[in-house]
Amino acid sequence: MTRAEILDRLFHTREPWDIVIIGGGATGIGIAVDAATRGYKVALVEQHDFGKGTSSRSTKLVHGGVRYLAQGNLSLVREALHERGLLRQNAPHLVHDLPFVIPCYHWWERTYYGIGLKLYQWLAGKLGFGPTRWLSRTETLRRLPGVQPKGLRGGVVYSDGQFDDARLLINLASTALAAGATVVNYVRAVKLLHDDAGELHGIVIQDQETGAEAELIARAVINATGPFCDEVRHLDDPSAPPLLARSQGAHIVLDRSFLPAENALMVPKTSDGRVMFAIPWHGHTLIGTTDVPLAGAPLEPVPLEQEIDFILETAGQYLAKKPTRADILAQFAGIRPLVKAGNAKNTSKLSRDHTIHFDPSGLVTITGGKWTTYRNMAEDCVNRVIQHHRLPEKESCVTKDLQIHGYEIDSARFGSLSIYGADAPAIQALGQEHPDWQAPLHPELPYTAAEIVWATRHENARTIEDVLARRTRALFLNARAAVEMAPCVAELMAAEFGKDATWQAEQVRAFTETARGFLP
């Protein structure tokens, strides 16, 4: 379905929607998939692009949360491990096993971490990813050739999951559309509609590209805007007390030479009490994360100087090749929408469980949680909304066994296009029709013109940023290379949209400005 067709349905439907969702991140799109596959009439609007915020800025892990195990939150770990297994089952082209090695430098660490990770493996049950084993010093060095060898006594290896967060979200949006949901980016909820009794019965939306407005009448409105959920609640009730205690997590990306392995490195306890990961990702090394309290929620968060210093210092203790600022190819930050707990000052101690809140008007807000548990959060939310808003009973939830768009068991055979899964042959065909679209647009990244055109035609990409940040991951892997690709991407998109040189220049300018936050 084209964007024009989606907008036509959204702006010209007069009958009430069963559910209208505000927010196009993992939670909102997950709810759209769940509700639409049950048979409900669903609309979702996102003010920017799908995954512009938190959902494209994770540590790229589908995991139970080793740190939550140490905190004693066994129920959250068990739930996340179960959902981890379902994600690998339903999106094998994007979710795969990844061995993690904890290097041990003290005599007690192998036993201590080994026992804890055996419990982690046991909690996963039949959906486990792989065994936990103690490693000798030699085996640890073989698995992690970039690790600091001085004082190394051995290690522990366990398995968890890795994914591409933004690509999964784009595939989930396609899944929702295929199930009948009306899902669109660059359409903002600007007002909430109440009847004389103060009950919420819809929203006013505005197309961010044309300025056109329309009313969506709905039986239920769900606020799934993550770090921005309190702002939406204030549209409903300016005096509503805040739900969130936001925190920021930062990451850096280096070249593969810092961790030239197919195993990830896990630091079980940093100086701030968190865990830190160094992970092979798309041919690079990704390291993070931090936990810094935030007062607000900027649309484009930027890592703080002290966050980058902390990551470099911690990584330098464990990597034989110590990274410096000059080695950083890209850096990025994401905001966690953590649910308040009294006057807690340490956001790293706040629960990652999700919360579903009903305001007196009927506005439903879902927040908290984590990427791994998005499906379970969506199922819980739709169940609660059906009950609270007395929606007609339809089909039961089917997402536990629902294949996500692009589902392909053997996607590795598509090489650099493996993340597209079942869509890869169509992208290859574009390259065959236009041979000049087959070569990478930049020598340091694999992305081709065929991928740019595919994203523009079939994945609702509207801007250079959409393409280089979330349809491909160029901006997150090498910010300078992404900026150098921007004029070529603008030219390709302009040809698809029928835009002129002025549009191209503005797109390049806007993207270059955004990319500054990703540059070291």
Side-chain angles (χ1 to χ4, degrees):
M1 180 179 291
T2 66
R3 178 181 175 81
E5 291 169 335
I6 296 169
L7 288 173
D8 183 67
R9 181 194 292 176
L10 191 68
F11 274 76
H12 296 101
T13 295
R14 294 291 172 255
E15 301 78 20
W17 300 85
D18 291 318
I19 296 174
V20 166
I21 303 159
I22 306 171
T27 304
I29 295 289
I31 292 168
V33 171
D34 186 294
T37 52
R38 296 194 200 202
Y40 290 104
K41 186 178 178 183
V42 179
L44 178 147
V45 295
E46 162 58 45
Q47 67 169 336
H48 201 278
D49 185 32
F50 304 122
K52 163 70 174 178
T54 301
S55 295
S56 65
R57 299 165 181 263
S58 74
T59 312
K60 322 307 177 192
L61 298 181
V62 179
H63 63 141
V66 173
R67 186 163 59 90
Y68 314 139
L69 183 67
Q71 293 173 353
N73 194 342
L74 297 185
S75 61
L76 176 60
V77 174
R78 185 183 290 108
E79 173 199 335
L81 288 173
H82 179 75
E83 293 299 320
R84 179 192 71 172
L86 294 180
L87 255 175
R88 181 182 60 176
Q89 166 191 296
N90 296 331
H93 61 299
L94 287 170
V95 180
H96 62 88
D97 300 12
L98 181 65
F100 286 76
V101 176
I102 300 178
C104 299
Y105 295 89
H106 301 283
W107 64 268
W108 54 269
E109 289 181 322
R110 289 176 75 244
T111 301
Y112 178 77
Y113 295 127
I115 292 172
L117 290 166
K118 287 282 187 183
L119 173 60
Y120 188 73
Q121 174 191 338
W122 177 78
L123 287 171
K126 292 184 292 185
L127 291 173
F129 271 36
T132 296
R133 295 195 298 111
W134 285 275
L135 302 177
S136 66
R137 183 179 188 276
T138 300
E139 179 68 4
T140 301
L141 288 170
R142 186 188 70 79
R143 283 179 170 267
L144 289 179
V147 77
Q148 172 60 255
K150 186 178 179 180
L152 182 69
R153 292 173 176 263
V156 179
V157 62
Y158 71 99
S159 291
D160 237 325
Q162 184 179 37
F163 77 141
D164 186 311
D165 48 11
R167 288 301 316 168
L168 178 58
L169 186 64
I170 298 305
N171 281 178
L172 282 168
S174 296
T175 306
L177 284 165
T182 301
V183 175
V184 69
N185 51 359
Y186 293 100
V187 173
R188 179 177 184 144
V190 294
K191 183 180 179 181
L192 304 187
L193 299 172
H194 302 84
D195 62 19
D196 293 340
E199 292 190 5
L200 183 63
H201 65 85
I203 66 175
V204 177
I205 59 170
Q206 182 184 67
D207 184 341
Q208 297 299 90
E209 294 184 355
T210 66
E213 294 189 356
E215 291 186 358
L216 303 186
I217 305 304
R219 296 182 173 90
V221 177
I222 300 176
N223 170 17
T225 54
F228 307 98
C229 73
D230 281 332
E231 283 80 351
V232 173
R233 291 179 64 239
H234 288 155
L235 289 177
D236 181 60
D237 176 6
S239 65
L243 286 175
L244 295 183
R246 304 176 183 94
S247 80
Q248 174 167 293
H251 302 78
I252 65 171
V253 177
L254 312 171
D255 69 46
R256 191 175 186 273
S257 66
F258 287 88
L259 192 69
E262 300 306 317
N263 296 261
L265 183 156
M266 198 270 265
V267 178
K269 190 171 184 180
T270 63
S271 59
D272 70 345
R274 291 185 56 81
V275 299
M276 183 169 285
F277 299 98
I279 303 166
W281 189 61
H282 289 318
H284 293 70
T285 300
L286 183 148
I287 306 178
T289 180
T290 57
D291 199 311
V292 177
L294 275 188
L299 186 60
E300 193 62 59
V302 175
L304 304 175
E305 291 291 315
Q306 60 263 36
E307 290 182 285
I308 301 302
D309 289 340
F310 175 79
I311 293 173
L312 289 172
E313 179 185 351
T314 304
Q317 297 171 18
Y318 289 86
L319 297 177
K321 183 179 177 182
K322 298 183 184 301
T324 68
R325 284 183 180 270
D327 297 310
I328 298 174
L329 300 176
Q331 59 188 38
F332 63 93
I335 303 174
R336 302 180 187 91
L338 305 176
V339 180
K340 276 180 173 288
N343 295 315
K345 296 289 192 295
N346 188 348
T347 51
S348 69
K349 295 290 193 290
L350 291 179
S351 173
R352 267 50 176 177
D353 285 317
H354 68 273
T355 290
I356 299 173
H357 177 84
F358 291 86
D359 279 302
S361 68
L363 176 66
V364 184
T365 296
I366 178 167
T367 193
K370 49 194 295 231
W371 235 122
T372 307
T373 59
Y374 89 90
R375 190 214 62 82
N376 186 60
M377 292 169 61
E379 180 181 356
D380 186 21
C381 185
V382 174
N383 287 343
R384 297 275 298 277
V385 167
I386 291 170
Q387 181 180 26
H388 187 275
H389 287 272
R390 296 184 175 86
L391 297 184
E393 289 287 345
K394 293 185 180 288
E395 302 296 324
S396 57
C397 176
V398 301
T399 58
K400 287 181 181 178
D401 301 307
L402 181 68
Q403 293 181 356
I404 293 167
H405 180 91
Y407 178 94
E408 172 62 55
I409 294 176
D410 185 23
S411 65
R413 72 182 191 275
F414 299 125
S416 64
L417 298 179
S418 64
I419 56 172
Y420 294 95
D423 287 335
I427 300 172
Q428 291 174 333
L430 274 177
Q432 291 164 0
E433 293 171 18
H434 304 272
D436 55 329
W437 289 358
Q438 293 179 331
L441 296 177
H442 194 281
E444 296 181 27
L445 293 169
Y447 306 116
T448 66
E451 292 176 78
I452 309 307
V453 173
W454 176 264
T456 306
R457 290 181 183 177
H458 302 289
E459 294 183 340
N460 287 309
R462 306 297 296 170
T463 70
I464 293 178
E465 183 193 334
D466 296 349
V467 169
L468 291 180
R470 290 170 291 277
R471 305 310 186 278
T472 71
R473 307 315 306 273
L475 182 59
F476 284 77
L477 293 172
N478 189 323
R480 287 188 181 88
V483 170
E484 291 169 9
M485 293 167 65
C488 182
V489 172
E491 185 177 348
L492 288 164
M493 296 184 76
E496 292 296 312
F497 291 148
K499 300 291 187 178
D500 59 15
T502 302
W503 182 88
Q504 294 181 50
E506 172 56 26
Q507 280 289 306
V508 172
R509 184 208 62 77
F511 177 73
T512 302
E513 180 64 28
T514 297
R516 286 179 183 169
F518 288 75
L519 291 166

